[in-house]
Amino acid sequence: MSATLQRFDVRGLACVVTGAASGIGLAYAEVMAEHGARVSLFDLNATGLQAAGQRLRAQGADVRTAVVDVTDRAALQAAFERSASAHGGLDVLFANAGIDAGPGFLTPGNERNPAGSLEGLDEAHWDAVIATNLTSVFTSLRAAARLMKPKGSGSIIVTTSNAAIINEAIVGTPYMPAKAGAASLVRQAAMELARYGIRVNAIAPGPFVTNIAGGRLRNPADREAFQVRVPMHRVADTEEIKPLALFLASQASSFVTGAQLVIDGGQMLGRVD
Ligand code: NAI
């Protein structure tokens, strides 16, 4: 193997993925497990978690699962500690769990949508999006910093979104500040943790077909509403995020920190009809 390819080696690394039962988090867990890392999968969804854990173990991976709600700070901290005891510390964290944005102030058909307007927004949904998509990133970063600092090394990857950078009318309003906040937290943590050998980066996806929002990108009308906003005129498969995850988790990205890597088929560049 070339010296360059060797830098992608993650064998034996202890890794935690939050929101690992489905979609992008499952892809992170799969790519790390396939390449020999020891992976702890955290998720609320016990059934999905069990299925993912069994499948990866059947392929010979050293995988544990923990049913945990990332918005429960004490439970999340305890899950990190149990995982570190079982896997000999923590080398890589994917802080990925996230929930649906809710309705945008425009429908995919470009109609005004009262349920997504500032006046109509459900306050409970606002609170849930901030708790899951932003505050849990802080809780996860803190737990990881506690475990990684004594080792003097580590890589933390946060799933943000291109919505951290560009606003989108058909995506729910609470998602924008939550993801922009997570992106800012990544940069702040990268500055603080660099001296301890810990790198912190973000992956900012555009539309990927997952189970988020009821798996709406599998629905042709919804998919088209997103595709027309993407210069590559398609949505993505979660397989496409795996190489980027491996890059950021490994020494292949040894001088990359505080970065937000966008993977969105050019959606950030603007609409091209
Ligand atoms: P998904 O719905 O397929 O997977 C999310 C997983 O997180 C689920 O297994 C769910 O049970 C888990 N989860 C949700 N709340 C949780 C909680 N409180 N505690 C523990 N686990 C919880 O969705 P997807 O798309 O894979 O989302 C992953 C991340 O990617 C999210 O942060 C999302 O905002 C982000 N993202 C997704 C995009 C997409 O188009 N799919 C685009 C940009 C960002």
Side-chain angles (χ1 to χ4, degrees):
M1 194 193 293
S2 72
T4 301
L5 279 181
Q6 275 173 29
R7 300 184 75 90
F8 287 86
D9 190 0
V10 294
R11 280 175 297 175
L13 295 184
C15 172
V16 165
V17 183
T18 72
S22 169
I24 291 170
L26 180 57
Y28 293 154
E30 286 172 351
V31 72
M32 293 300 288
E34 280 162 15
H35 288 83
R38 293 171 288 174
V39 188
S40 292
L41 285 72
F42 292 2
D43 207 289
L44 265 183
N45 172 358
T47 316
L49 203 53
Q50 201 187 4
Q54 276 175 1
R55 194 163 47 74
L56 292 173
R57 269 184 226 109
Q59 292 163 10
D62 183 353
V63 160
R64 343 174 26 261
T65 56
V67 179
V68 61
D69 180 344
V70 297
T71 66
D72 180 337
R73 293 179 189 184
L76 185 57
Q77 176 64 33
F80 270 98
E81 283 163 16
R82 278 196 301 276
S83 155
S85 304
H87 279 161
L90 180 67
D91 299 300
V92 179
L93 163 65
F94 288 92
N96 164 80
I99 56 169
D100 178 17
F105 69 83
L106 291 184
T107 67
N110 272 337
E111 305 288 334
R112 289 272 155 181
N113 184 8
S117 69
L118 286 171
E119 305 95 303
L121 267 176
D122 176 21
E123 289 180 0
H125 186 65
W126 170 277
D127 291 345
V129 172
I130 298 298
T132 312
N133 295 6
L134 174 57
T135 308
S136 88
V137 175
F138 159 65
T139 316
S140 299
L141 278 168
R142 180 161 64 177
R146 285 175 179 150
L147 292 164
M148 289 173 174
K149 268 186 179 180
K151 266 193 164 176
S153 64
S155 176
I156 299 172
I157 300 104
V158 176
T159 311
T160 56
S161 167
N162 61 8
I165 310 165
I166 48 160
N167 289 59
E168 174 53 76
I170 67 170
V171 174
T173 292
Y175 199 75
M176 308 298 152
K179 291 298 188 180
S184 175
L185 192 50
V186 163
R187 293 190 295 272
Q188 190 79 1
M191 289 174 75
E192 179 183 337
L193 298 178
R195 85 153 42 176
Y196 306 101
I198 303 166
R199 298 181 296 106
V200 190
N201 292 290
I203 292 179
F208 273 70
V209 180
T210 69
N211 290 319
I212 205 162
R216 74 172 172 180
L217 290 181
R218 293 190 185 93
N219 168 318
D222 278 331
R223 188 167 59 237
E224 186 54 23
F226 279 88
Q227 281 180 175
V228 294
R229 292 167 159 79
V230 178
M232 290 180 77
H233 205 89
R234 67 175 180 87
V235 294
D237 186 275
T238 53
E239 285 297 314
E240 298 181 80
I241 214 157
K242 290 181 174 181
L244 186 51
L246 197 62
F247 169 70
L248 287 176
S250 68
Q251 285 303 306
S253 58
S254 53
F255 201 50
V256 181
T257 197
Q260 178 161 238
L261 304 186
V262 177
I263 173 166
D264 74 345
Q267 188 179 17
M268 289 272 304
L269 306 173
R271 188 169 167 158
V272 182
D273 288 321

